[in-house]
């Protein structure tokens, strides 16, 4: 009984475990703590993450949001038409040669930031583009031949106008020597060149109907601070609204489509999403040039260059589907079924001053094969090169890598009364495609992501094991000591009883000797 276990029990019983029931209570509390950690630790960590990422002026995450520490790139590929004359004169199929990439690095900054009372921030976005000839296939001065978008937009819009208007338009184009194809530099195609039709419109069109630009370029007016005023939720009051657009230029809905659901603006700009993303969630991105919310669905788990695990989200295959394949897209047909886009295309003319611009994925990825084969020179689409995707860190909702790939097409309508385009058939003519995005985030940002993803689960396991082990050891030890002490007390009580009984017998014997019984006489 004098072994190590006996000494330990004696020591415990004589000090802090003298009251054995206190030890049992402590042990039970430790076990309950382990169970609570197992069930509720994630809730605590999520609350910490929510507070950490919410957009509070002066915080680190606010600084990253306002001026992202990244250098996005946009790479553009132009479809250069190599047989424009044969196409117009002989009815030959158009042949295009994809040239590029022409690469620009971008600097993003949110300016004129104002904090509002309802948990939102309002700002303007500044984008500065810088040409990178070292990453490009050639200089901005490279010359390409492309469809004359202002002219073909005007002729296509006039198809259902009065005949005398179409004849008048033909005469004007004759005088101005406007042709269906233009020869311009890549820089001019992107950033603007003087177009005679736009110049004429500036002089003769009523002020309220004038276009807000004097030159034509696919990226005209985008190099600088945008006039669009965007209001987003900070997440301080409701983390489920983190980064969600509240208003765009003071409006909560678009005016273009036939239902409120399709006119919604309540997506994000794509840089952040509400945190704690599950694989079942549908993410939504709004960009003015897309003219709608773009849904993104989970595709697979991926590893990013900085070893931060991410979920890859891509547009579902039905996003640009025709109404026969996906009836819910009927809301994007403002003039009824005849105005619906072919499978794989999305009509953004309502956002482009009625120019018949159609968006698709590059090389008509996920579109009907017939669209790609309307012209020669476009290779079959490849998912690896032409898919649109976002790689998002699910815990914080931060975009780690993105490649937004879109192709710009012109829907040309044949108009026989305008001789310049009389031989130009009904066709979806590809203009260019681009991919815009980021490859990775700085180490300072990804280190925080790795910590949020990897450390809390390890802490949770350590706490569960530690609390449960300590509680179980104390419970077993105190129970053992209790049983041992109880047995010892029982033994002492039995020995004491025997001693008293023996003493009583001895005492009786002694009394009998001292007081012998009286004899008989």
């Amino acid at each position: 009984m004098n072994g190590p276990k006996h000494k330990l029990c004696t020591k415990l019983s004589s000090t802090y475990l003298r009251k054995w029931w206190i030890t049992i209570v402590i042990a039970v509390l430790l076990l309950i703590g382990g169970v609570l950690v197992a069930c509720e630790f994630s809730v605590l960590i999520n609350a910490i993450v929510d507070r950490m990422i919410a957009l509070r002026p002066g915080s680190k995450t606010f600084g990253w949001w306002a001026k992202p520490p990244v250098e996005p790139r946009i790479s553009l590929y132009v479809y250069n038409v190599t047989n424009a004359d044969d196409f117009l004169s002989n009815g030959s199929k158009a042949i295009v040669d994809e040239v590029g990439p022409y690469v620009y690095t971008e600097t993003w900054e949110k300016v004129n930031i104002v904090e509002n009372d309802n948990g939102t921030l309002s700002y303007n976005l500044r984008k500065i583009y810088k040409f990178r000839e070292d990453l490009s296939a050639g200089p901005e001065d490279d010359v390409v031949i492309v469809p004359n978008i202002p002219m073909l937009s005007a002729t296509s819009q006039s198809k259902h106008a009065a005949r005398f208007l179409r004849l008048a338009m033909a005469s004007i184009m004759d005088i101005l020597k406007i042709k269906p194809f233009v020869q311009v530099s890549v820089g001019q195609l992107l950033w603007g060149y003087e177009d005679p039709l736009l110049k004429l419109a500036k002089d003769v069109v009523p002020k309220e109907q004038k276009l807000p630009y004097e030159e034509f370029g696919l990226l005209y007016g985008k190099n600088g601070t945008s006039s669009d005023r965007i209001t987003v939720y900070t997440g301080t009051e409701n983390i489920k609204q983190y980064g969600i657009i509240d208003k765009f230029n003071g409006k909560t809905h678009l005016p273009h489509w036939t239902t409120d659901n399709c006119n919604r603006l309540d997506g994000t700009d794509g840089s952040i999403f509400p945190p704690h993303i599950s694989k079942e969630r549908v993410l939504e991105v709004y960009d003015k040039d897309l003219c709608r919310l773009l849904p993104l669905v989970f595709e697979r788990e991926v590893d990013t260059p900085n070893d931060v695990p991410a979920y890859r989200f891509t547009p579902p295959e039905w996003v640009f589907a025709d109404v026969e394949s996906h009836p819910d897209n009927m809301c994007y047909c403002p003039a009824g079924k005849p105005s619906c886009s072919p499978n794989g295309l999305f009509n953004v003319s309502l956002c482009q001053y009625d120019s018949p611009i159609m968006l698709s994925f590059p090389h008509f990825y996920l579109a009907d094969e017939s669209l790609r084969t309307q012209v020669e020179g476009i290779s079959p689409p490849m998912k690896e090169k032409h898919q649109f995707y976002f790689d998002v860190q699910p815990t914080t909702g931060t975009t780690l890598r993105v490649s937004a790939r879109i192709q710009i097409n012109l829907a040309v309508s044949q108009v026989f009364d305008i001789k310049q385009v009389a031989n130009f058939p009904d066709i979806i003519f590809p203009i260019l495609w681009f991919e815009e995005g980021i490859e990775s985030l700085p180490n300072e940002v990804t280190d925080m992501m790795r910590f949020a993803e990897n450390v809390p689960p390890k802490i949770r396991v350590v706490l569960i094991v530690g609390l449960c082990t300590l509680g179980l050891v104390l419970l077993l030890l105190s129970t053992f000591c209790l049983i041992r002490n109880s047995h010892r007390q029982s033994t002492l009580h039995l020995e004491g009883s025997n001693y008293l009984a023996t003493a009583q017998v001895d005492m009786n014997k002694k009394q009998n000797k001292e007081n012998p019984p009286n004899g008989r006489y």
Side-chain angles (χ1 to χ4, degrees), residues 100-227:
Y102 296 93
V103 181
Y104 294 81
T105 55
E106 305 174 22
T107 302
W108 296 351
E109 183 178 4
K110 297 174 179 69
V111 297
N112 306 323
I113 300 175
V114 175
E115 189 173 9
N116 305 312
D117 295 333
N118 64 338
T120 63
L121 294 168
S122 298
Y123 65 91
N124 297 86
L125 180 61
R126 176 185 295 157
K127 277 188 178 184
I128 304 299
Y129 294 82
K130 181 181 178 182
F131 182 63
R132 291 289 302 272
E133 187 170 349
D134 58 316
L135 301 175
S136 303
E140 282 184 301
D141 296 334
D142 281 353
V143 175
V144 292
I145 297 174
V146 294
N148 188 335
I149 297 177
M151 174 198 182
L152 294 172
S153 296
T155 59
S156 295
Q157 291 174 31
S158 71
K159 184 172 184 176
H160 301 290
R163 185 169 185 270
F164 79 91
L165 289 176
R166 296 196 295 272
L167 294 175
M169 183 178 291
S171 298
I172 292 172
M173 292 179 178
D174 228 1
I175 295 171
L176 297 176
K177 298 181 179 180
I178 300 175
K179 297 181 179 181
F181 289 94
V182 292
Q183 182 173 292
V184 292
S185 70
V186 171
Q188 288 176 318
L189 176 64
L190 298 178
W191 307 111
Y193 61 91
E194 189 175 274
D195 181 82
L197 269 184
L198 291 180
K199 187 177 180 181
L200 178 64
K202 178 184 175 183
D203 296 332
V204 302
V205 172
K207 184 177 180 181
E208 62 274 9
Q209 298 179 8
K210 286 185 178 180
L211 298 176
Y213 45 82
E214 299 178 0
E215 296 183 336
F216 174 79
L218 294 173
L219 296 179
Y220 181 81
K222 295 185 181 298
N223 197 358
T225 302
S226 171
S227 60

Side-chain angles (χ1 to χ4, degrees), residues 365-399:
Y365 175 65
L366 299 181
D368 286 345
E369 177 74 6
S370 59
L371 294 172
R372 184 179 65 84
T373 57
Q374 283 185 323
V375 299
E376 292 184 10
I378 302 179
S379 61
M382 299 175 61
K383 181 179 179 180
E384 296 76 16
K385 292 184 177 180
H386 304 131
Q387 184 187 41
F388 186 119
Y389 67 82
F390 278 72
D391 290 343
V392 183
Q393 206 284 323
T395 302
T396 63
T398 303
T399 298

Side-chain angles (χ1 to χ4, degrees), residues 280-327:
E280 292 72 31
R281 191 198 294 184
V282 177
L283 307 182
E284 293 179 308
V285 174
Y286 176 73
D287 185 274
K288 180 182 178 181
D289 294 326
L290 290 176
C291 205
R292 60 170 288 179
L293 279 182
L294 185 70
L296 303 170
V297 297
F298 174 81
E299 184 188 68
R300 59 190 174 95
E301 296 182 16
V302 295
D303 288 322
T304 60
N306 298 79
D307 296 325
V308 180
Y311 290 171
R312 174 159 293 182
F313 283 82
T314 65
E317 293 188 2
W318 50 258
V319 68
F320 292 159
D322 55 25
V323 293
E324 285 77 15
S325 303
H326 192 71

Side-chain angles (χ1 to χ4, degrees), residues 464-480:
I464 292 173
V465 173
L467 290 173
C468 291
T469 301
L470 182 59
L472 189 61
V473 168
L474 287 179
L475 183 62
L476 292 175
L477 190 58
S478 59
T479 302
F480 172 79

